[in-house]
Amino acid sequence: MKVAIIGAGPRGLWAAEELIDRAGQRGAAIELTVFNETPMEEISAPGAFGASVPEQWILNAPKSIVETHLGPLDPNDELEGQFPPRRRVGEHLDASWEALRTNLPAKCTLDFRITRVQDVTPVGNGVEVDGEQFDDVLMVTGHAHDWPGSLAHQDLGDLRVIAPAYPASNLDSVTSDDIALVRGAALTFIDVVRYAKAKAFYPVTRSGRFMEVKAYLDEEQSRAAQPIIEKADRAILQCQSLEELKEILTESAEAILTIVGGEGACEDIQAVINGEDFTGDPVAELRTSVAAAKGERPWTPALAVALAFRDTEDALIQRASFGGRDSLGGSEFDDFMSTLGRVATGPPVESAVEMLALIDDNRIRTDVFNRGEDDLTEVAKEVGATVVIDAVNAPAGVVDGTLIGDLVERGVGMRYADTSALHIHPDGTLVGQKHLAAAGRMNEGLVLGHDTLRRDKQNIIYRWAERVSARAAE
């Protein structure tokens, strides 16, 4: 049986490992071809985990989440800190691909092709990839590198524009004489300011806020919080409305604040959940978030909400995926998730501390921070910008101009309901197709929790590998 996986990043590796493992168990013969645009040492999206990623670009989640069939990223705790350089993850992914290649079951083969796939078309009882017939195809293409909303496609006059910000080499033209206007102030912005050499960075955003810093409980606090999280998990799985979901998170966050000796009342927690807690001073908020995460002041309601949200995410994914979000308010639920994304998925303390140092050094300036909706040409003129950097990544879902976008445009795939998500079945198969599947950010909106590295949030890959290996064994 001929199978193709398009995309060799973390999710592509995961799919290949699971498929080959099941094929070996079943004694099935599979010829697996993996298509990727870049060589093995740069197998992830630009700026993610490749060998060219700068050492100062670190993981945004603890290293303990990274594990492949080869094993965990750092089994002997040899890497410094909990958030090592992302290139170390790339080395582990590369080694995992090599381990898979050298330990194939007798009836399986693996062919790695460095090419950009231009066309995917279902034909008969299979799928053609650039004209070559396969029995089953999985697309795990990850972040879109280019998209219609990119500043690369906007007229900013004579201004020099860097879009996208990745790979790092895109930023090499920025010098210490440049003043950079940067669209976005989330995780990509942090990478930009940790690498580019500009004299000053002026971030512009729509919200006018930085992300909250990630904070974690110690062992004793974690044990105390475990029953609270377990209770919340059960309640989330049974909740019937968005308001009920918010009440569950409020109750959990309130209990967590008590455990850590934090500050804030119920109404403060509700304000965070509803996105109504902005003080008007983004830098002061960032300082407070960092100080609380470092234990230099009591925890804030925002940190408690973030922890409650992250630790109950598995239950929320199960409750809201594959149509569950519709009974939780549909688009209102999407807005809720966007609000909590700023609160719960921010940078580790180390990154935020460096941002504050740059702010104190007057290299990050917030004079136009909330001007993200304004004409960037005018904003750039006001601050004397010599370069504009786009630190906003392509949105999740179906993106026009991509391989997935082309499939939807041709009617091979379809969007789900009122979202931009690619409509799939629980095993990843596109609705209306039999042998073409997709998993990842293109499904966000129908399926929640598409973390690039974590394998415990979703079972789409497991189900796909089970279906395809069973077919191969027939």
Side-chain angles (χ1 to χ4, degrees), residues 433-455:
Q433 302 298 328
K434 292 183 178 180
H435 307 297
L436 179 59
R441 282 176 58 83
M442 72 284 287
N443 310 133
E444 193 72 43
L446 171 64
V447 186
L448 273 65
H450 288 293
D451 189 289
T452 305
L453 293 169
R454 296 195 67 162
R455 298 186 176 189

Side-chain angles (χ1 to χ4, degrees), residues 65 74 81 101 108 170 182 217 294 323 339 344 387 436 441 465:
I65 72 166
D74 190 21
R101 194 203 309 258
C108 295
N170 287 1
V182 187
L217 303 177
K294 291 173 68 176
T339 297
V387 62
L436 179 59
R441 282 176 58 83

Side-chain angles (χ1 to χ4, degrees), residues 176-225:
S176 57
D177 292 326
D178 277 314
I179 294 176
L181 184 71
V182 187
R183 183 174 75 156
L187 301 176
T188 300
F189 171 75
I190 295 174
D191 282 347
V192 168
V193 300
R194 295 189 83 176
Y195 180 81
K197 297 180 174 66
K199 180 194 307 183
F201 300 94
Y202 285 87
V204 289
T205 69
R206 289 179 297 179
S207 70
R209 306 183 74 178
F210 290 108
M211 301 181 83
E212 292 289 338
V213 178
K214 281 193 176 79
Y216 299 91
L217 303 177
D218 62 29
E219 290 187 12
E220 182 178 346
Q221 292 168 339
S222 293
R223 285 193 295 271

Side-chain angles (χ1 to χ4, degrees), residues 240-260:
Q240 298 300 308
S241 68
L242 179 58
E243 287 309 310
E244 186 179 354
L245 173 60
K246 290 180 177 180
E247 289 172 4
I248 294 166
L249 287 176
T250 297
E251 181 179 340
S252 301
E254 201 170 7
I256 289 168
L257 266 188
T258 299
I259 289 172
V260 298

